[in-house]
Amino acid sequence: MIKVGLYSCGLHTYWDQFDGLKERLIGYCNYIAKRIEEENGVTVCNYGMVDSFEKGMECGEYFLKENVSIIFMHVATYSPSSNCLPIHKTCKAKTVILNLQPSIKINYDMTDTGEWLAHCNACAVPEMTNCLRRANIDFDIVNGLLGLKENPKLTKTNEITVDRIESINAWKKINEWVKAAKLVGSLKGKVFGFLGNYYDGMLDMYSDFTLLMSKFDIHIKILEMCDVKRNFDKVTDKEIEKMLEVIKDRFQIGGVKSNAQEIKMPTTEQLNYSSKVACALERLKDEYSLDALAYYYHGTDGYEYEEIQSGFIVGCSLLTMNHVPAAGEADIKTCIAMKICDLLSLGGSFCEIVTTDYDKGTILIGHDGPFHIDIAQDKPILRGMEVYHGKKGKGISVEAKVKNGPVTTLGIAQDENGKIKFIVSEGIAKDYEIMKIGNTQTHVDFGMLPDEYMDKWFINAPTHHFALSIGHNKDLLLKISKLLEIETVVVN
């Protein structure tokens, strides 16, 4: 559970000059704290009012002791920046400045100086930003209305602004910052299995494990096919029967007939074998406490390891559905992207560009598996494959599309300087016809001509895989990247 730091800043000189002002501003701070806790399920470490340099020193030590993941600076009224600087010099957590005016406008006829000071939030914000920038302290800002649900006692105007768009937008941003901080905290210590090796020659797949572990605070566990085989040999008939029930419940067997020669109805033998492999992968996940899995194995013809890997797609789709995202072709970077989407409860299916429909103005994206079943438009179809294109073996693959509506892609690439970067785009998934070839495919309209989109995407040198999530999540992903100190390119 992460902790969120919060304080309000003001000027101690005001308190003796204007009765009730301090208490009123602290009330605003308490409202922010309560709302953050209620809407995000986190603990808010609310220091209260910082109105002097000494209070700032004390507040910084408090946040450091509590190990807060993010700090909200609520500019309640004018405050010298010297009050706040020691907080952020002491505690290095991400700083978000809240410029939240209590009312739509002041009551010009009735307002006295004390009333004005309760509404002059924006006055000190430039001073704060100038100070923090010169101190090389990173910050972001949320501007808008406070969004109170009832009026405080001393107000001379209407401060009920919860339904105003300026309040709704501000609180959307505040909650996104908290969700982003929760996500970064949730990634810490997650175990990513790396099974087998890369597809030979896919140079964009090759990754710096040390960089990924340090940047995302994860652990990458190197696994071998003998780890799978050991668990495969332990699978019981009862486990297979139970897994078969899950498979038949979550997938449609065969689906609409395909005219492709390499596509067949899955046989009972193939279903039983895929079920056994799925059980082995489940056991592997439990043995190593895996939170995600990147995998690929190029075996020798006729050997059991090669046969076992041919049954991975169904089991890896079930792992992905059960919050253990599995990425094929050993794409550990996209596996991390899938895990980020899954931790946000937004899905995160394994994708690449499949083809382009210039008539509809869409780009089809998907892969030969695995698939995040929980974000499917319809029940995914299992197809028997006489050949896996570009790979060894044959078996069962998943054919599906992501549900209609807003979607977001998240790609993770490594640039020429060895740095990680996010590449993000938003689009609309359309329920159009797809190929019946046992691959996942979703038509996506990215709001521009396909060639224009590809011009912008390709020039950023992405990894050719990416994660597809439901909803428009660009703003949230941007906040996550800022917390992780990762460059983000938005292709839209």
Side-chain angles (χ1 to χ4, degrees), residues 216-417:
F216 293 100
D217 210 3
I218 61 174
H219 176 63
I220 297 175
K221 178 70 177 177
I222 307 297
L223 302 172
E224 302 290 350
M225 281 299 293
C226 56
D227 295 312
V228 182
K229 176 65 166 60
R230 182 179 64 255
N231 283 286
F232 182 83
D233 291 341
K234 294 177 183 177
V235 174
T236 66
D237 290 342
K238 187 174 181 180
E239 285 178 275
I240 295 172
E241 290 175 10
K242 188 175 179 180
M243 185 63 73
L244 268 173
E245 291 176 5
V246 174
I247 290 171
K248 291 176 180 178
D249 177 61
R250 299 312 300 256
F251 296 97
Q252 183 180 350
I253 311 300
V256 179
K257 184 179 183 301
S258 170
N259 291 319
Q261 291 185 347
E262 71 274 11
I263 305 297
K264 307 293 182 184
M265 174 68 74
T267 65
T268 299
E269 182 182 6
Q270 285 176 325
L271 287 168
N272 286 335
Y273 195 78
S274 288
S275 178
K276 185 172 183 179
V277 174
C279 292
L281 292 172
E282 186 71 22
R283 282 176 167 269
L284 182 76
K285 180 261 292 183
D286 291 340
E287 179 181 358
Y288 291 104
S289 300
L290 300 180
D291 298 294
L293 177 68
Y295 68 94
Y296 177 73
Y297 181 75
H298 183 87
T300 301
D301 292 341
Y303 284 75
E304 192 170 14
Y305 286 179
E306 192 275 333
E307 184 179 4
I308 290 172
Q309 68 84 27
S310 70
F312 270 18
I313 292 175
V314 174
C316 285
S317 293
L318 292 172
L319 284 179
T320 301
M321 177 191 73
N322 290 319
H323 311 294
V324 181
E329 296 170 4
D331 190 348
I332 186 70
K333 295 189 291 294
T334 297
C335 192
I336 294 170
M338 293 167 69
K339 187 63 181 179
I340 288 171
C341 296
D342 185 74
L343 286 169
L344 295 170
S345 300
L346 300 171
S349 208
F350 188 58
C351 289
E352 65 185 5
I353 286 185
V354 175
T355 188
T356 300
D357 188 324
Y358 284 100
D359 184 40
K360 293 183 172 64
T362 58
I363 298 174
L364 278 77
I365 59 178
H367 211 273
D368 58 5
F371 181 74
H372 199 303
I373 301 167
D374 279 350
I375 61 173
Q377 172 65 19
D378 303 302
K379 202 170 189 179
I381 297 169
L382 295 185
R383 298 213 184 263
M385 307 288 291
E386 290 297 300
V387 61
Y388 289 136
H389 66 275
K391 302 181 179 74
K392 286 196 170 188
K394 60 181 180 178
I396 296 179
S397 191
V398 177
E399 183 178 295
K401 64 179 76 170
V402 169
K403 63 181 62 175
N404 305 338
V407 291
T408 303
T409 67
L410 170 61
I412 299 180
Q414 190 168 359
D415 68 16
E416 67 275 18
N417 297 312

Side-chain angles (χ1 to χ4, degrees), residues 441-472:
Q441 305 149 71
T442 303
H443 285 261
V444 178
D445 180 347
F446 286 104
M448 63 184 81
L449 294 174
D451 287 347
E452 183 184 358
Y453 174 81
M454 289 188 285
D455 282 345
K456 294 180 178 180
W457 186 42
F458 295 160
I459 201 66
N460 282 291
T463 303
H464 78 274
H465 299 142
F466 50 87
L468 180 64
S469 63
I470 55 173
H472 279 166

Side-chain angles (χ1 to χ4, degrees), residues 476-492:
L476 178 55
L477 293 172
L478 282 169
K479 293 175 175 64
I480 291 167
S481 69
K482 286 185 177 181
L483 292 177
L484 291 168
E485 298 182 347
I486 291 174
E487 176 194 358
T488 299
V489 176
V490 176
V491 181
N492 271 125

Side-chain angles (χ1 to χ4, degrees), residues 6-7 45-66 71 82-88 90-91:
L6 170 68
Y7 72 96
C45 298
N46 181 7
Y47 179 82
M49 181 59 67
V50 171
D51 55 7
S52 67
F53 174 81
E54 291 75 17
K55 287 286 188 180
M57 292 288 290
E58 185 179 282
C59 180
E61 293 293 341
Y62 169 64
F63 288 155
L64 189 64
K65 178 182 177 182
E66 294 295 331
I71 299 173
S82 61
N83 292 352
C84 304
L85 180 60
I87 300 172
H88 307 281
T90 302
C91 182

Side-chain angles (χ1 to χ4, degrees), residues 144-190:
L145 288 170
L146 181 57
L148 290 179
K149 300 174 183 178
E150 58 184 35
N151 283 314
K153 291 180 180 179
L154 296 180
T155 186
K156 299 180 185 298
T157 189
N158 180 19
E159 296 187 19
I160 300 175
T161 59
V162 65
D163 294 325
R164 288 278 303 200
I165 189 64
E166 298 90 346
S167 166
I168 293 169
N169 288 341
W171 276 98
K172 178 178 181 290
K173 293 174 184 176
I174 292 169
N175 289 335
E176 282 179 345
W177 276 115
V178 178
K179 288 177 183 177
K182 287 175 70 175
L183 180 282
V184 172
S186 296
L187 271 179
K188 185 176 183 178
K190 289 289 186 286

